[in-house]
Amino acid sequence: DQQVKQNSPSLSVQEGRISILNCDYTNSMFDYFLWYKKYPAEGPTFLISISSIKDKNEDGRFTVFLNKSAKHLSLHIVPSQPGDSAVYFCAGESSGDKLTFGTGTRLAVRP
Amino acid sequence: DTGVSQDPRHKITKRGQNVTFRCDPISEHNRLYWYRQTLGQGPEFLTYFQNEAQLEKSRLLSDRFSAERPKGSFSTLEIQRTEQGDSAMYLCASSRWTTVEETQYFGPGTRLLVL
């Protein structure tokens, strides 16, 4: 049972443009969502999070949107930079418990 | 700043051997998590501790796996009688849990290859 789904395994974007990464979830008990960025041979790096009581959270070039009724969240990166090229994972958390991750989206930002 | 550290970073072993990994969390983080990641997948939860108490174990954690956090600081994950299917990246994360909405910070991982 895949509780968190990232249906796009890869995304390619031109430098300076917007990157939009999507994530869907099925577990209604998730009350906190996080995005992590991962480079090869390294552990995931925390990027940004959002509580289920909010619909938007912004941090610099990164914004996460949450649509609870659709059980959908998205990460917007504006403007995209070549250093953003990595695998991005979304994760759901219930009551401060373990994380359930999606399968990741590989973002390539072309110079 | 000392983040989460893991040792070793890489381990190659023969099938049937035992291996042990160590994780040192961020200071004063009371929760410590172990995850496993295989190619093309996201990290999957294995087990976690709050201080020295092991609070949950995933069904992925067969009886060949054991984890400890004896003094509520560092943790070890041991795999006995390794199998080729154990080959994966083993990730450790820690957090300062209060009530809800904890952010977990990950270490660099230990990549295990079982031959």
Side-chain angles (χ1 to χ4, degrees), chain A:
Chain A
D1 175 27
Q2 194 77 26
Q3 296 184 47
V4 179
K5 298 180 183 180
Q6 293 179 258
N7 291 319
S8 298
S10 64
L11 175 68
S12 181
V13 171
Q14 191 77 37
E15 180 180 4
R17 306 294 288 268
I18 184 171
S19 295
I20 300 176
L21 295 93
N22 294 303
C23 180
D24 297 293
Y25 64 96
T26 58
N27 189 338
S28 301
M29 299 302 291
F30 288 150
D31 51 19
Y32 191 51
F33 301 89
L34 306 92
W35 283 93
Y36 287 85
K37 174 180 177 181
K38 189 176 184 302
Y39 293 116
E42 293 184 12
T45 301
F46 170 69
L47 202 54
I48 192 169
S49 61
I50 188 166
S51 165
S52 61
I53 62 173
K54 296 183 179 179
D55 54 19
K56 177 182 175 181
N57 187 28
E58 193 171 352
D59 183 2
R61 297 186 298 115
F62 303 91
T63 303
V64 55
F65 296 92
L66 175 62
N67 182 334
K68 278 190 69 176
S69 60
K71 291 191 173 67
H72 176 84
L73 61 155
S74 61
L75 174 67
H76 292 210
I77 306 173
V78 181
S80 300
Q81 299 174 354
D84 295 329
S85 297
V87 178
Y88 289 78
F89 291 96
C90 68
E93 179 182 293
S94 172
S95 302
D97 202 3
K98 60 185 178 291
L99 296 175
T100 302
F101 285 86
T103 52
T105 297
R106 182 178 302 278
L107 173 65
V109 180
R110 306 185 307 275

Side-chain angles (χ1 to χ4, degrees), chain B residues 8-79:
Chain B
R9 294 290 308 275
H10 304 273
K11 180 70 177 179
I12 300 174
T13 190
K14 293 182 179 179
R15 190 176 52 185
Q17 298 295 304
N18 299 345
V19 295
T20 300
F21 309 142
R22 176 179 170 127
C23 171
D24 287 88
I26 295 171
S27 295
E28 299 178 358
H29 275 193
N30 54 358
R31 282 201 173 175
L32 186 149
Y33 296 78
W34 286 99
Y35 292 85
R36 181 175 71 184
Q37 184 177 20
T38 53
L39 201 61
Q41 301 297 317
E44 294 176 292
F45 168 77
L46 293 178
T47 187
Y48 84 98
F49 295 83
Q50 181 161 315
N51 300 314
E52 64 275 8
Q54 189 172 17
L55 295 189
E56 186 176 349
K57 292 193 287 187
S58 162
R59 56 185 169 80
L60 291 176
L61 213 66
S62 76
D63 55 8
R64 296 185 297 105
F65 288 70
S66 63
E68 293 183 342
R69 194 183 184 198
K71 296 181 180 179
S73 57
F74 74 91
S75 174
T76 58
L77 177 68
E78 181 183 15
I79 309 174

Side-chain angles (χ1 to χ4, degrees), chain B residues 88-105:
Chain B
M89 171 79 89
Y90 289 84
L91 295 162
C92 175
S94 71
S95 70
R96 187 173 183 176
W97 183 80
T98 51
T99 52
V100 295
E101 298 182 6
E102 59 170 315
T103 298
Q104 295 180 27
Y105 296 91

